[in-house]
Amino acid sequence: MKETLRELDSSPGAGLIAWTTVFDALVVPRDLGMAAMVSLDRVAPVPCLVAADHAVLLVLPATGRYAVENVPGEVRSGSDQWIAVPPTHDVRWDTAPWVEQTATPLTLLHGGDVGRHLWEAKGSTGAGVVR
């Protein structure tokens, strides 16, 4: 890890990626993702990345398609897809994928469960209604 951080420090503009093999990534408009996170935070922590114009919520593998059936967004899934992760420029964790005190990985939710919160956020705020 220290070597990776050293490399990043010596390479301005470099970033890190994570292949979407052990999770599906829901890439949604930032306002929609953040509105959904308000209600999701009351239910269970959902790993979430934010960037300038989008949010990325991580769910169980092969379940992401259920989350974006009725909301704008895309699913990244499988060994040929990836997402940028911190400390990549302009990418930060809203909710890290581990419990802060113990570094224990969070349990991922099913995409359908997260999708209900995205749908409610879309309906209640009008967030992300344009595709």
Side-chain angles (χ1 to χ4, degrees), residues 12 48 82 85 90 100 114:
C48 178
W82 57 271
V85 294
D90 199 31
E100 290 292 328
V114 173

Side-chain angles (χ1 to χ4, degrees), residues 58-111:
L58 307 182
V59 298
L60 285 169
T63 67
R65 67 182 179 272
Y66 301 109
V68 295
E69 289 178 337
N70 298 304
V71 297
E74 69 176 273
V75 177
R76 296 187 186 167
S77 180
S79 60
D80 61 339
Q81 299 285 307
W82 57 271
I83 58 169
V85 294
T88 301
H89 177 70
D90 199 31
V91 176
R92 67 173 179 81
W93 288 111
D94 176 71
T95 304
W98 57 83
V99 178
E100 290 292 328
Q101 299 81 1
T102 65
T104 305
L106 293 178
T107 301
L108 298 177
L109 297 181
H110 189 281

